[in-house]
Amino acid sequence: MSFVGPRPCLPAQTELIAARRARGLYAIRPGITGVPQIAGLDMSDPQRLAASDASYLDTMSLGTDIGIMVRTGLGLGRGDAVR
């Protein structure tokens, strides 16, 4: 597991698993936070969540990871804000 990456899902979330597999997201490690968390997305819309995770795959870099961690720490996401 890494700090930034697609958040792990439950085995029962078959639609999300299939959407992530189709986008090649299992090639990277899961993370504690990611693009969907700072965008305020939750796991209720698997296709949108997988698309958001895939956008991270396209722009993955140390700078991107630092920006995501800072925004998560500041609670800038509407979803999983650190309190």
Side-chain angles (χ1 to χ4, degrees):
M1 181 167 252
S2 63
F3 286 112
V4 179
R7 294 214 28 209
C9 60
L10 299 172
Q13 293 175 300
T14 55
E15 187 179 348
L16 179 57
I17 292 169
R20 283 180 170 172
R21 185 169 288 124
R23 289 175 172 83
L25 291 168
Y26 288 112
I28 59 174
R29 283 191 226 150
I32 297 169
T33 189
V35 174
Q37 285 68 49
I38 60 173
L41 299 175
D42 60 22
M43 292 196 162
S44 64
D45 186 351
Q47 294 299 328
R48 190 170 174 208
L49 182 63
S52 182
D53 282 330
S55 73
Y56 169 72
L57 189 61
D58 294 337
T59 61
M60 234 169 70
S61 71
L62 179 60
T64 300
D65 287 1
I66 291 171
I68 290 171
M69 287 187 287
V70 167
R71 286 180 284 194
T72 299
L74 294 174
L76 298 179
R78 295 181 309 265
D80 297 339
V82 175
R83 304 265 184 236

